[in-house]
């Protein structure tokens, strides 16, 4: 077993950094060392930003996004189209769609996808709130922007069944050949989906 080369406080910092996605033990050591070397320029402002985040960040009561205001910035933006609700599994998916500037609609974050093997059932998601929002007079379309995994598609089918009585159009993201994709490198499932969902040229 390797001997410790730093005090317990530094080792604790490294252990906490190693819990972040994309950082293993070696990357966490490098990050910790960089923070320590740049204490005034990085560590002090980071500490302050983390404290503000702890105190101010909250979950939007309308859509499930995280923000420093409630309802969130997206829900209160008057330029957003209130007739469209884009359903995502996680806040990271919402942020990805926003980075791509893919929609001008509002969002609904489920919190996860249905996964019986992991013990995630309908009661663990915000599906009831989504159904209630779908019945609002101004809503005309629900876009299911869920991952093309078994759990994502199971969740999409479950939600579609629940929305059958709402006066909304339920759509989902297209599946198939990505922009810049070469057929030879795609898996069989992607190719099959692309062939089934072909469109006019």
């Amino acid at each position: 077993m390797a001997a410790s080369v730093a005090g317990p406080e530094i080792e604790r910092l490294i252990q906490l950094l190693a819990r972040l996605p994309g950082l293993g033990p070696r990357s966490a050591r490098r990050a910790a060392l960089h923070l320590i070397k740049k204490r005034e320029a990085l560590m002090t402002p980071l500490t302050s930003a983390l404290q503000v985040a702890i105190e101010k960040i909250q979950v939007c009561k309308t859509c499930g996004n995280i923000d420093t205001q409630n309802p969130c910035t997206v829900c209160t933006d008057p330029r957003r189209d209130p007739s469209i609700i884009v359903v995502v599994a996680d806040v990271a998916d919402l942020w990805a769609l926003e980075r791509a500037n893919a929609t001008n609609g509002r969002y609904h974050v489920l919190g996860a996808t249905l996964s019986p093997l992991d013990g995630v059932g309908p009661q663990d998601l915000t599906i009831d709130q989504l159904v209630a929002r779908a019945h609002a007079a101004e809503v005309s379309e629900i876009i299911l922007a869920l991952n093309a995994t078994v759990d994502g598609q199971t969740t999409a089918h479950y939600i579609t069944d629940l929305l059958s009585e709402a006066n909304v159009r339920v759509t989902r993201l297209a599946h198939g050949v990505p922009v810049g994709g070469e057929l030879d490198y795609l898996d069989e499932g992607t190719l099959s989906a692309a062939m089934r969902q072909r469109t006019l040229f």
Side-chain angles (χ1 to χ4, degrees):
M1 185 168 165
S4 178
V5 294
E9 297 83 4
I10 295 174
E11 287 297 329
R12 172 96 172 121
L13 173 62
I14 293 167
Q15 289 169 5
L16 289 172
L17 288 171
R19 292 184 186 177
L20 295 173
L23 285 184
R26 291 179 67 188
S27 299
R29 275 192 193 286
R30 283 196 295 273
L33 189 57
H34 187 72
L35 286 169
I36 292 165
K37 285 180 179 178
K38 306 276 186 180
R39 258 184 291 202
E40 295 303 315
L42 278 177
M43 192 179 276
T44 303
L46 178 61
T47 303
S48 174
L50 287 170
Q51 189 57 48
V52 169
I54 290 168
E55 293 167 2
K56 296 197 173 182
I57 290 178
Q58 51 193 311
V59 177
C60 176
K61 62 186 177 188
T62 305
C63 74
N65 188 18
I66 55 173
D67 203 338
T68 53
Q69 67 181 51
N70 197 351
C72 72
T73 307
V74 175
C75 288
T76 56
D77 186 347
R79 296 166 298 180
R80 294 275 175 174
D81 185 349
S83 70
I84 298 172
I85 296 177
V86 182
V87 180
V88 293
D90 193 75
V91 173
D93 302 327
L94 186 157
W95 288 0
L97 289 168
E98 283 298 290
R99 277 196 313 274
N101 200 21
T103 180
N104 191 37
R106 304 266 170 92
Y107 289 95
H108 188 89
V109 180
L110 294 173
T113 52
L114 294 173
S115 180
L117 292 176
D118 296 321
V120 180
Q123 71 282 354
D124 301 309
L125 308 180
T126 59
I127 293 175
D128 290 342
Q129 295 92 316
L130 171 62
V131 173
R133 290 181 71 191
H135 281 85
E138 72 270 13
V139 177
S140 63
E141 182 178 7
I142 303 289
I143 302 173
L144 300 175
L146 300 172
N147 292 330
T149 60
V150 171
D151 290 345
Q153 296 311 299
T154 300
T155 307
H157 288 297
Y158 183 81
I159 291 171
T160 302
D161 289 343
L162 291 178
L163 294 177
S164 60
E165 295 181 7
N167 189 26
V168 293
R169 185 167 67 123
V170 180
T171 59
R172 69 174 190 172
L173 297 183
H175 298 137
V177 180
V179 174
E182 295 183 32
L183 299 185
D184 188 37
Y185 293 100
L186 298 177
D187 63 274
E188 291 81 4
T190 301
L191 284 171
S192 296
M195 190 58 77
R196 283 194 309 272
Q197 297 172 42
R198 60 190 182 276
T199 56
L200 289 172
F201 191 65

